[in-house]
Each structure stands twice: as C-alpha cells, then as structure tokens.
Amino acid sequence: MRNNVLILDFGSQYTQLIARRVRELNVYCEIHPYNKLPHNLDSFGALILSGSPYSVREVKSPRINLDVLLTKMPVLAVCYGAQLIAQEMGGKVSASNIREYGRANLNIKEQDNILFDGVGNNTQVWMSHSDTIKQLPKNSLLLASSNDVENVAYRYEENIYCLQFHPEVYHSTEGKKILENFLTKISGLKQTWTPDSFIDSTISELKEQIGDDKVILGLSGGVDSSVAAILLHKAIGKNLHCIFVNNGLLRKNEFTDVLDQYKEMELNIVGVDYSNEFYNELKDVSDPEKKRKIIGRVFIESFDKESNKIENVKWLAQGTIYPDVIESISATGGPSATIKSHHNVGGLPDFMKLKVIEPLKLLFKDEVRRVGNSLHIDKNILGRHPFPGPGLAIRILGDVNKENVRMLQEVDYIFIKGLKEANLYNKIWQAGAMLLPVKSVGVMGDERTYEKCVALRAVESTDGMTADWVDLPYSFLQDISNKIINRVKGVNRVVYDISSKPPATIEWE
C-alpha cells in the first residue's frame, strides 16, 4: 500500500506536470491541496512538495506542519517547497538580486549522490523563482549549484531532497532521471503502475462495488466515455445500459457511425434521436452561454426520459477524469475551482437519485488513451480529436438551425477528411470549422454571390490549457478551400485562424 506518492499542491502551474511525470515512470501518485491533507497519510511511500506563485517571505503564504510530514517518508521539495523547508528549518530565504528564470546548468557537488546518479554534470535545468536560498539549514548538504545560484539543490537530514529548479518541465533535460532516482533509489518504490495493472484492479473493484446492480452511462462518442464503458462492460456485462443521444449537433454521419462502432464492441446500447427537441429550444438563440445552458438542460431531460425506461437502475456512470477531480478540490480558488459541465451528462437532476461511479477518475487524458489501447478499443475512437460538449452549436456563431448545421457539417467533413487523407490528422490536437454570422460578396461563373464565410481552425496542444495554431501547408489549405467553396452550397469564402491560446480560445464561443 505504500507504493504511492503524495504530491502537495501549493498552487503551482506545474503541479499537474509533476504528477504526469511520476505516472510516466509507472508510479501511482495523487495530488492534494497543501491545506487538505489526505486522512490516509501512512499509505504513501513518498512526498513531493510543489512550487507556488507565493513567496515564503509573505505572511499569508501557504504553510504546513513540516515537523510531522518530514518524518513520515522521503521528501522531494521543488522550488517553493525547497524554500519553505529552508526557512522553516532555520535557513534563510531572501529576494534574489538577479532574475532566476529560465535555463541554467548544474554544477553537481556530490558526484556520488543518489539523487543525481547517472545525471551528467553541467546538465540543463529550468529555474522559475524570484526568491533565493541564501543560507541552508543546519544538517544540510549542498548537492548542486549553478553559475548564478549557489544553493540550487541540497539534502536536509537523511531523506529530504530540495531542488530550486523544476525537474518536471521538458527544459530540465535530465529531470525525469532525477525524479526516477528519487522514486526508486531513495524512496524504494516499484514501477508497477501500468495500463494493464489499472485495468485488472479497476474491473475487480467495479465488480465488488456494483455487484448485480444496473448502471446507466451517457455515451458521447468521445475517448473518456468510451473507455469507461468498456471497463464497466468487462465488469458487469449486460447490466451496463448505455444511452447515446443525438442532439443534432454532431459531425456529419457521426451518430450512425459511432453507434455502429459501439454495437461492434458488443455494448448494451440504445441510440435515441432528439435533434428536433434541441433545434426547437435553440431557435433564435445566439448568445453562447444561453446555448450551452439550453443544450445542457435538454440533454438532461432527454437522458432522464430514456433512462426511466430502464427498470431498477442504481448507478450513473460518468467519464470523469483526474484533472476534473483535481479542479474540484482546488485549494487556491480562482479559475481552477470552476468546473465546466460534463460533456455527457452535464448535471444530474435531484429527482434522479442514483449513486455515481467514475472508473477513470484517477487517470489523466493520455493515460485514458493508453488504457483504451490495452483494452483494444477501436483506434478511430481513441485517436479522435476532442469535440466540444455543445457540439457544432458553439461553432455556429449566431443562430443554430438545421440549415446552418447542415452547412457546417459539410464544411467540417471536407476539412477533417482532408486532414486524414494528407496524414495530418494525428499530428493535430484538435481541428474544426466555424460558421461565421457574416456574408461576403463573391463571384461564381458570371454571377455575383452573397454567401457565408467559414473559418478553419487547427491547433497543437497537450491538455487544451494552452494551444498554438498549426502551420498547415499552403497547398493543403488551397485544396480544402476550393473543395469547400465548390461543394458546400451557401459558402463562398474560407479563412484560416492563426490565433494562439492565450489570448484566443480554441473554440470561438
């Protein structure tokens, strides 16, 4: 049970990245806010203290009881964590005279130190702090310096390792090796957290938790709900009842194609078409937030109507993943404390008194895909780009109606099909088309036209938090533009969005 890592979050932008690096090393870890310690501390075999936007010199900066934590397990303290230990244990932290941000090179003092075993001297690391550790606490050993910073890495007592740099970011070229040394050689943890081990343990836990009860799951066609469905199917078979709602806002042919894929996977699934209900409610609504709320409400109503046809249901399954869980227990508040509505369910009415089960709540997105691959789920599902919960409604700027949906479906189909044929689809994180609420003058043959404009969007990203536009070949864009204008009635102009996130967002609404 002690083969787990506890990561205490002090509000750093890199905390989830620490967890991802630990998971990549096949060691299970959990993130908890610094002020909400887990009750089962003794089940963890190692502790990592994150960085923070705060300064340890601030009166209201995050604090924890180090006297208790530092005696329980090996510790790796990163940036703010390293400064916190230095200050609380009798060292000295002060404002830095120079800007300690960006690349630096390590001068490793103790060549035989376990933490830097196999790490080359002068290796590149990434700094990001405005304070510096002027004096180490007693019982400390200096492990590494840089050209500008003396106390870059040190050991306090026996098993407490402190780093002023961030080993979790890509710019720290041997950061992953440093983390592995801490996890395996210092903490003695086993690298057994794999997709197969997760599948085996999860199916066993689902069987025990659910027993002979019935479960309903709203499938969306996306990666998360699909992987959750297969895990549940393997655990409880036909007692899983899947509902796939067509809101009329999916991509061209997506409802029938995805439904057929699910049936081939032998899922117990029913597909229901509520397109007209969604269109009726969205009539003459152009405000993006109102669109989202209407779509969420109508989905709940249609999902509830269909689920009531299944007798004696006890559980509602959802494709919640770990970033959603982390946000819901955020210690720092702010934007990360606000959770968007789930793609597939969006909110459970009070009168649906079902217990909720979330098989993927411990996994990051990339881990969900690896688990799906181990489950032999169709690669067309696993490799599918993220698609917004409200569907094409938030890619149609202005009124949502059948004609606008038809037009955008055709444009999107040509764009996505073209990306796949040009072997570009898998190099892109997300792509789609936007139908703009403007018309422009064009010429077709000898006639002038006054028709719609569409914007194409393709971005590269790892998690959607930040994104950059993809530099698609001009020849490809030229070909796609010609096909769209020639084949989609009502469109006479195509533009390509070259905005990054931030300041823009990936979707236009």
Side-chain angles (χ1 to χ4, degrees):
M1 286 297 293
R2 289 181 59 86
N3 204 56
N4 303 332
V5 178
L6 170 62
I7 302 173
L8 286 188
D9 179 23
F10 292 100
S12 170
Q13 61 178 320
Y14 296 136
T15 302
Q16 285 197 34
L17 192 53
I18 296 174
R20 291 168 70 91
R21 295 291 171 264
V22 172
R23 298 277 187 91
E24 286 172 5
L25 291 164
N26 297 327
V27 176
Y28 177 69
C29 64
E30 292 180 9
I31 297 174
H32 289 263
Y34 76 95
N35 57 357
K36 296 179 183 177
L37 295 179
H39 60 84
N40 57 335
L41 268 178
D42 291 336
S43 68
F44 294 96
L47 170 66
I48 298 178
L49 304 181
S50 83
S52 175
Y54 295 93
S55 165
V56 296
R57 298 181 297 109
E58 296 175 13
V59 176
K60 294 184 178 181
S61 61
R63 290 288 194 275
I64 54 175
N65 188 345
L66 291 175
D67 291 333
V68 173
L69 285 174
L70 298 188
T71 60
K72 285 189 171 293
M73 64 196 92
V75 177
L76 181 67
V78 176
C79 200
Y80 179 90
Q83 295 171 356
L84 183 64
I85 289 176
Q87 178 157 297
E88 296 291 298
M89 297 297 113
K92 183 180 180 182
V93 178
S94 60
S96 177
N97 293 326
I98 61 171
R99 181 173 176 171
E100 296 176 357
Y101 180 84
R103 295 173 177 82
N105 294 98
L106 280 190
N107 176 15
I108 299 173
K109 304 294 184 182
E110 296 287 329
Q111 294 294 335
D112 60 345
N113 187 272
I114 300 175
L115 188 65
F116 294 114
D117 187 26
V119 176
N121 199 22
N122 210 37
T123 186
Q124 178 183 288
V125 296
W126 184 261
M127 302 280 200
S128 180
H129 56 272
S130 56
D131 289 341
T132 193
I133 301 169
K134 287 292 187 182
Q135 182 180 323
L136 297 178
K138 291 181 180 179
N139 301 321
S140 296
L141 176 67
L142 180 63
L143 301 179
S145 303
S146 70
N147 291 336
D148 298 318
V149 182
E150 182 179 5
N151 299 314
V152 171
Y154 68 96
R155 188 185 74 210
Y156 174 69
E157 300 285 352
E158 286 300 317
N159 281 322
I160 301 164
Y161 291 81
C162 304
L163 305 177
Q164 187 62 85
F165 62 90
H166 289 270
E168 69 273 18
V169 303
Y170 287 110
H171 300 301
S172 293
T173 52
E174 296 185 82
K176 196 170 180 179
K177 178 63 178 174
I178 295 169
L179 285 171
E180 186 173 23
N181 286 342
F182 170 73
L183 297 171
T184 61
K185 297 182 178 180
I186 294 170
S187 305
L189 303 182
K190 305 297 182 184
Q191 294 172 285
T192 55
W193 172 254
T194 64
D196 288 339
S197 70
F198 172 83
I199 291 169
D200 291 342
S201 62
T202 300
I203 290 175
S204 177
E205 289 167 8
L206 289 172
K207 286 180 178 179
E208 182 177 349
Q209 188 175 6
I210 298 170
D212 294 326
D213 293 345
K214 290 182 180 179
V215 180
I216 56 170
L217 168 64
L219 281 172
S220 66
V223 175
D224 301 336
S225 65
S226 300
V227 174
I230 295 301
L231 281 171
L232 284 159
H233 175 71
K234 287 185 174 294
I236 63 174
K238 294 298 182 181
N239 275 347
L240 171 66
H241 295 261
C242 300
I243 300 170
F244 186 21
V245 176
N246 182 12
N247 58 11
L249 305 167
L250 302 173
R251 286 175 155 149
K252 182 180 178 180
N253 301 329
E254 187 169 24
F255 180 64
T256 53
D257 290 349
V258 172
L259 193 57
D260 288 342
Q261 284 179 311
Y262 282 143
K263 289 178 178 177
E264 288 175 6
M265 294 155 68
E266 299 183 349
L267 290 176
N268 182 18
I269 184 170
V270 58
V272 290
D273 191 349
Y274 279 80
S275 301
N276 288 333
E277 284 83 349
F278 282 88
Y279 290 150
N280 290 338
E281 292 292 326
L282 289 168
K283 186 177 180 180
D284 299 326
V285 177
S286 59
D287 179 80
E289 196 53 36
K290 287 182 180 178
K291 287 181 188 177
R292 290 177 182 273
K293 289 180 179 178
I294 289 170
I295 292 166
R297 173 177 57 78
V298 178
F299 182 92
I300 291 169
E301 292 169 356
S302 56
F303 183 80
D304 179 54
K305 183 177 179 180
E306 294 300 319
S307 63
N308 280 329
K309 297 177 182 178
I310 307 167
E311 295 181 351
N312 301 318
V313 173
K314 299 289 181 65
W315 298 85
L316 170 74
Q318 296 194 106
T320 309
I321 61 175
Y322 198 42
D324 301 322
V325 176
I326 295 169
E327 287 181 346
S328 69
I329 60 172
S330 169
T332 54
S336 65
T338 302
I339 308 301
K340 61 186 177 183
S341 297
H342 279 298
H343 179 126
N344 49 352
V345 173
L348 189 63
D350 292 338
F351 54 83
M352 285 181 67
K353 299 186 183 303
L354 301 177
K355 294 179 283 186
V356 175
I357 192 160
E358 299 166 316
L360 307 179
K361 66 180 180 181
L362 300 178
L363 300 184
F364 288 103
K365 190 77 171 186
D366 54 330
E367 293 174 322
V368 174
R369 284 196 167 94
R370 289 202 293 272
V371 167
N373 189 56
S374 292
L375 288 167
H376 307 294
I377 294 176
D378 191 318
K379 293 189 184 301
N380 289 323
I381 290 179
L382 291 182
R384 183 172 288 137
H385 287 175
F387 189 65
L392 297 179
I394 60 168
R395 292 183 177 177
I396 297 173
L397 279 65
D399 294 343
V400 178
N401 52 53
K402 280 187 178 180
E403 176 56 21
N404 282 345
V405 170
R406 179 207 64 79
M407 199 180 307
L408 187 56
Q409 282 179 333
E410 295 296 334
V411 171
D412 179 88
Y413 180 79
I414 292 170
F415 184 32
I416 299 300
K417 185 171 184 278
L419 288 171
K420 291 178 178 178
E421 291 175 347
N423 294 319
L424 292 168
Y425 184 84
N426 292 330
K427 299 175 183 178
I428 294 168
W429 192 76
Q430 185 170 334
M434 319 296 160
L435 183 65
L436 307 187
V438 294
K439 290 184 176 181
S440 64
V441 174
V443 178
M444 289 190 179
D446 294 328
E447 296 181 1
R448 291 169 69 83
T449 61
Y450 191 58
E451 296 179 331
K452 296 258 180 117
C453 173
V454 293
L456 306 182
R457 182 91 158 120
V459 299
E460 51 189 3
S461 178
T462 55
D463 53 15
M465 299 300 292
T466 60
D468 201 5
W469 61 281
V470 178
D471 189 4
L472 294 175
Y474 288 154
S475 58
F476 170 82
L477 290 172
Q478 181 182 41
D479 179 57
I480 294 299
S481 176
N482 287 340
K483 286 179 178 176
I484 290 171
I485 292 172
N486 288 331
R487 298 178 186 178
V488 183
K489 185 179 179 181
V491 176
N492 70 352
R493 191 176 299 272
V494 177
V495 298
Y496 186 54
D497 183 349
I498 58 170
S499 310
S500 297
K501 178 187 179 182
T505 53
I506 295 176
E507 301 295 341
W508 279 38
E509 288 192 340

